[in-house]
Amino acid sequence: MSTCAEATTGAIARRLGAPRHRIDYVIETRGIEPVRRIGITRLFDRYAQTRIESALLEISTRANKAGVSADDNLDGATLGPAA
């Protein structure tokens, strides 16, 4: 999957087919920092985009193993520690 050099949270969400609030959640909980800002818009580089995508896959995998939807338990509160 190709990534742009820099992308907003909305662009990342569209590319990954995920709701923007999920992208925001991953950014906040993983401490992912934007490479720059234009006004209030945050821009993330390819490395950050890869980290976001990996975190979404981890959430989905953990939820599937626990038999729940990632949408039902986004924060992983009952899924236990990450493997």
Side-chain angles (χ1 to χ4, degrees):
M1 186 177 295
S2 70
T3 57
C4 299
E6 293 179 350
T8 63
T9 55
I12 296 167
R14 283 189 298 278
R15 183 175 61 80
L16 297 178
R20 197 172 126 208
H21 71 271
R22 184 168 297 154
I23 303 301
D24 291 334
Y25 171 83
V26 166
I27 289 167
E28 184 174 327
T29 60
R30 303 310 195 274
I32 300 171
E33 295 292 327
V35 289
R36 66 186 179 118
R37 290 179 179 263
I38 299 176
I40 63 169
T41 303
R42 300 171 294 169
L43 294 171
F44 296 89
D45 63 6
R46 290 179 185 184
Y47 176 69
Q49 293 175 57
T50 300
R51 287 184 61 201
I52 293 166
E53 184 173 12
S54 295
L56 290 174
L57 289 171
E58 175 189 334
I59 290 168
S60 180
T61 299
R62 289 176 58 207
N64 288 337
K65 285 181 181 178
V68 297
S69 165
D71 290 328
D72 294 339
N73 195 345
L74 183 60
D75 67 357
T78 62
L79 298 180

